Protein backbone atom coordinates (compact mmCIF):
# COMPACT_ATOMS: atom_id res chain seq x y z
CA UNK A 1 0.00 0.00 0.00
CA UNK A 2 1.39 3.42 -0.97
CA UNK A 3 1.77 6.35 1.38
CA UNK A 4 0.13 9.74 0.92
CA UNK A 5 2.47 12.27 -0.66
CA UNK A 6 0.53 15.38 0.41
CA UNK A 7 2.60 17.74 2.57
CA UNK A 8 4.48 14.96 4.33
CA UNK A 9 1.25 13.32 5.49
CA UNK A 10 2.54 9.77 5.43
CA UNK A 11 -0.86 8.08 5.93
CA UNK A 12 -1.50 4.97 3.89
CA UNK A 13 -3.63 5.35 0.78
CA UNK A 14 -6.91 3.44 0.96
CA UNK A 15 -7.61 2.12 -2.53
CA UNK A 16 -11.28 1.58 -1.67
CA UNK A 17 -11.79 5.33 -1.18
CA UNK A 18 -9.83 6.47 -4.21
CA UNK A 19 -11.86 7.77 -7.12
CA UNK A 20 -11.93 5.41 -10.10
CA UNK A 21 -10.10 7.78 -12.40
CA UNK A 22 -9.79 7.18 -16.11
CA UNK A 23 -6.42 8.93 -16.27
CA UNK A 24 -4.28 5.80 -15.72
CA UNK A 25 -1.79 7.17 -13.19
CA UNK A 26 -1.33 6.50 -9.50
CA UNK A 27 -3.02 8.84 -7.09
CA UNK A 28 -0.96 8.85 -3.92
CA UNK A 29 -3.35 10.65 -1.61
CA UNK A 30 -4.97 9.35 1.54
CA UNK A 31 -8.74 9.48 1.98
CA UNK A 32 -8.44 12.57 4.23
CA UNK A 33 -6.67 14.56 1.51
CA UNK A 34 -8.94 13.34 -1.29
CA UNK A 35 -12.03 14.32 0.72
CA UNK A 36 -10.47 17.70 1.57
CA UNK A 37 -9.66 18.31 -2.11
CA UNK A 38 -13.20 17.46 -3.23
CA UNK A 39 -14.83 19.49 -0.41
CA UNK A 40 -12.74 22.55 -1.28
CA UNK A 41 -13.82 22.28 -4.93
CA UNK A 42 -17.47 22.12 -3.89
CA UNK A 43 -16.97 25.09 -1.54
CA UNK A 44 -15.55 27.03 -4.52
CA UNK A 45 -18.72 26.18 -6.51
CA UNK A 46 -17.10 23.61 -8.83
CA UNK A 47 -19.21 20.63 -9.83
CA UNK A 48 -16.83 19.35 -12.49
CA UNK A 49 -13.97 18.30 -10.28
CA UNK A 50 -10.70 17.33 -11.96
CA UNK A 51 -8.16 14.82 -10.78
CA UNK A 52 -5.96 16.34 -8.03
CA UNK A 53 -2.79 15.21 -9.80
CA UNK A 54 -0.91 18.20 -11.21
CA UNK A 55 -1.55 18.80 -14.94
CA UNK A 56 -4.22 16.08 -15.15
CA UNK A 57 -7.51 17.23 -16.66
CA UNK A 58 -9.53 14.03 -16.11
CA UNK A 59 -12.85 14.62 -14.38
CA UNK A 60 -13.77 12.67 -11.25
CA UNK A 61 -17.12 10.98 -11.84
CA UNK A 62 -20.16 12.27 -9.95
CA UNK A 63 -20.55 8.83 -8.37
CA UNK A 64 -16.98 8.99 -7.02
CA UNK A 65 -17.51 12.51 -5.74
CA UNK A 66 -20.66 11.34 -3.96
CA UNK A 67 -18.72 8.42 -2.42
CA UNK A 68 -16.01 10.76 -1.13
CA UNK A 69 -18.11 13.53 0.42
CA UNK A 70 -20.08 13.75 3.64
CA UNK A 71 -23.87 13.62 3.62
CA UNK A 72 -24.02 17.34 4.50
CA UNK A 73 -22.08 18.30 1.33
CA UNK A 74 -24.26 16.26 -1.03
CA UNK A 75 -27.15 18.78 -1.43
CA UNK A 76 -24.73 21.56 -2.39
CA UNK A 77 -22.98 19.30 -4.91
CA UNK A 78 -26.32 18.31 -6.47
CA UNK A 79 -27.37 21.98 -6.65
CA UNK A 80 -24.08 22.88 -8.37
CA UNK A 81 -24.58 20.08 -10.91
CA UNK A 82 -28.14 21.24 -11.65
CA UNK A 83 -26.98 24.83 -12.08
CA UNK A 84 -24.22 23.68 -14.41
CA UNK A 85 -26.71 21.75 -16.55
CA UNK A 86 -29.17 24.64 -16.83
CA UNK A 87 -26.81 27.67 -16.81
CA UNK A 88 -26.87 28.18 -20.58
CA UNK A 89 -30.64 27.86 -21.00
CA UNK A 90 -31.96 31.27 -22.13
CA UNK A 91 -34.82 31.29 -19.60
CA UNK A 92 -32.76 30.14 -16.61
CA UNK A 93 -31.69 32.73 -14.06
CA UNK A 94 -29.77 32.78 -10.79
CA UNK A 95 -30.86 35.05 -7.96
CA UNK A 96 -28.12 37.61 -7.21
CA UNK A 97 -29.06 37.55 -3.51
CA UNK A 98 -29.34 33.89 -2.51
CA UNK A 99 -27.91 32.12 -5.59
CA UNK A 100 -30.99 29.95 -6.16
CA UNK A 101 -31.76 29.12 -9.77
CA UNK A 102 -35.11 29.07 -11.51
CA UNK A 103 -36.71 29.29 -14.91
CA UNK A 104 -38.25 32.63 -15.82
CA UNK A 105 -40.64 32.27 -18.72
CA UNK A 106 -40.70 35.45 -20.72
CA UNK A 107 -36.96 36.05 -20.40
CA UNK A 108 -35.80 39.49 -21.54
CA UNK A 109 -39.33 40.47 -22.60
CA UNK A 110 -40.47 40.31 -18.96
CA UNK A 111 -37.37 41.42 -17.03
CA UNK A 112 -38.82 41.53 -13.50
CA UNK A 113 -38.12 38.28 -11.62
CA UNK A 114 -39.19 37.32 -8.12
CA UNK A 115 -36.91 34.66 -6.64
CA UNK A 116 -38.87 31.59 -5.58
CA UNK A 117 -36.47 30.98 -2.67
CA UNK A 118 -35.83 34.37 -1.02
CA UNK A 119 -38.48 36.50 -2.82
CA UNK A 120 -35.87 39.05 -3.97
CA UNK A 121 -37.15 41.06 -6.93
CA UNK A 122 -34.41 41.52 -9.52
CA UNK A 123 -33.76 42.24 -13.19
CA UNK A 124 -33.59 39.17 -15.45
CA UNK A 125 -31.18 40.89 -17.86
CA UNK A 126 -28.83 42.64 -15.45
CA UNK A 127 -29.03 40.33 -12.40
CA UNK A 128 -29.34 43.16 -9.88
CA UNK A 129 -32.00 44.19 -7.36
CA UNK A 130 -34.98 45.72 -9.19
CA UNK A 131 -35.79 49.34 -8.42
CA UNK A 132 -38.57 51.46 -9.87
CA UNK A 133 -36.04 53.65 -11.68
CA UNK A 134 -34.08 50.72 -13.19
CA UNK A 135 -33.64 50.80 -16.94
CA UNK A 136 -31.94 47.90 -18.67
CA UNK A 137 -31.12 50.09 -21.66
CA UNK A 138 -29.18 52.54 -19.49
CA UNK A 139 -27.63 49.98 -17.18
CA UNK A 140 -24.86 48.77 -19.45
CA UNK A 141 -25.15 45.01 -19.71
CA UNK A 142 -26.88 45.09 -23.07
CA UNK A 143 -26.33 48.63 -24.32
CA UNK A 144 -22.52 48.63 -24.38
CA UNK A 145 -22.44 51.52 -21.93
CA UNK A 146 -19.93 51.62 -19.08
CA UNK A 147 -20.95 49.59 -16.01
CA UNK A 148 -21.35 51.35 -12.66
CA UNK A 149 -18.36 51.01 -10.28
CA UNK A 150 -20.22 48.66 -7.91
CA UNK A 151 -20.99 46.14 -10.67
CA UNK A 152 -18.50 43.40 -11.53
CA UNK A 153 -18.50 40.25 -13.63
CA UNK A 154 -18.98 37.07 -11.59
CA UNK A 155 -15.73 35.07 -11.66
CA UNK A 156 -17.69 31.81 -12.13
CA UNK A 157 -20.30 32.67 -14.76
CA UNK A 158 -19.15 36.15 -15.99
CA UNK A 159 -22.63 37.63 -15.56
CA UNK A 160 -22.75 41.19 -14.22
CA UNK A 161 -23.67 41.46 -10.56
CA UNK A 162 -23.77 43.94 -7.72
CA UNK A 163 -21.95 42.69 -4.65
CA UNK A 164 -24.30 42.66 -1.67
CA UNK A 165 -22.01 40.99 0.90
CA UNK A 166 -18.66 39.29 1.38
Amino acid sequence: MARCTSSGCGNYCDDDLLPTLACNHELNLCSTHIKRFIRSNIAEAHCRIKCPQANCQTLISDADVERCIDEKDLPKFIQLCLQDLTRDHPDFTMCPTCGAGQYHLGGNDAPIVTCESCFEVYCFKDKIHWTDDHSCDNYGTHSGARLPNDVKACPNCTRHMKRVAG
Side-chain angles (χ1 to χ4, degrees):
M1 210 183 247
R3 289 195 176 261
C4 181
T5 58
S6 179
S7 304
C9 172
N11 289 338
Y12 285 103
C13 299
D14 184 354
D15 291 339
D16 292 336
L17 287 174
L18 293 177
T20 52
L21 299 173
C23 42
N24 298 324
H25 60 75
E26 266 190 49
L27 184 61
N28 292 325
L29 291 176
C30 66
S31 61
T32 300
H33 284 100
I34 290 171
K35 288 178 180 183
R36 186 178 298 156
F37 172 79
I38 291 174
R39 267 196 321 269
S40 71
N41 271 270
I42 293 170
E44 293 171 5
H46 299 291
C47 73
R48 295 180 186 194
I49 302 173
K50 294 179 183 170
C51 170
Q53 186 76 27
N55 301 319
C56 184
Q57 299 297 307
T58 303
L59 294 175
I60 299 174
S61 74
D62 293 345
D64 281 337
V65 170
E66 186 177 341
R67 251 184 347 105
C68 292
I69 61 176
D70 297 327
E71 186 96 9
K72 66 179 179 55
D73 294 321
L74 187 58
K76 181 168 184 174
F77 178 68
I78 291 170
Q79 180 68 25
L80 288 170
C81 291
L82 288 172
Q83 289 171 359
D84 187 61
L85 288 171
T86 56
R87 180 171 297 148
D88 294 329
H89 191 282
D91 291 330
F92 184 78
T93 183
M94 302 281 292
C95 176
T97 301
C98 72
Q102 69 187 50
Y103 283 96
H104 176 67
L105 300 178
N108 289 336
D109 296 331
I112 301 173
V113 179
T114 301
C115 176
E116 295 171 354
S117 293
C118 72
F119 305 105
E120 169 76 11
V121 179
Y122 64 97
C123 178
F124 178 82
K125 290 180 182 179
D126 300 315
K127 308 297 187 261
I128 62 166
H129 176 76
W130 185 269
T131 58
D132 291 335
D133 63 345
H134 179 79
S135 169
C136 296
D137 292 334
N138 294 331
Y139 185 71
T141 302
H142 300 284
S143 66
R146 191 160 187 251
L147 293 172
N149 289 336
D150 60 347
V151 174
K152 303 289 182 218
C154 171
N156 292 327
C157 69
T158 68
R159 291 183 176 151
H160 294 117
M161 299 186 159
K162 252 187 187 182
R163 175 173 274 178
V164 292

